[in-house]
Amino acid sequence: MFRKLLPTVVLAVVTLTGWAATASTADAGAPTILPHHRFEVLATRGGKWTSHGVYHLHARAEVVAIRLRLEGYRVEIRQF
């Protein structure tokens, strides 16, 4: 009987003491936009590079870059 009771007791202790696997308490909100992070999308098809916008999030700059690549442009994203 002790062998059957032991796993139940261990599970109860782990659950009550907080050792059980729980979700992290980290904030899962929107990414922080820092004023010193800016990404410029530059594109060229021939010789002249043109700016297609400055973005605070790299993901938004990447979306624009993918669209331009599909249109046949050579694209660079520069961080400054």
Side-chain angles (χ1 to χ4, degrees):
M1 180 168 147
F2 183 71
R3 287 184 4 196
K4 292 182 180 179
L5 185 62
L6 184 63
T8 305
V9 171
V10 170
L11 181 62
V13 169
V14 168
T15 302
L16 292 176
T17 59
W19 291 352
T22 59
S24 176
T25 59
D27 184 15
T32 305
I33 299 174
L34 301 174
H36 62 277
H37 286 174
R38 294 186 303 180
F39 303 94
E40 183 176 17
V41 179
L42 300 170
T44 184
R45 195 181 274 178
K48 182 181 176 188
W49 288 90
T50 57
S51 175
H52 285 268
V54 176
Y55 303 92
H56 291 286
L57 295 176
H58 187 270
R60 290 186 181 168
E62 189 65 36
V63 168
V64 173
I66 289 170
R67 180 183 52 83
L68 290 168
R69 285 183 188 114
L70 291 174
E71 293 177 7
Y73 287 93
R74 181 172 165 223
V75 180
E76 287 187 14
I77 299 175
R78 295 188 182 164
Q79 180 180 357
F80 60 96

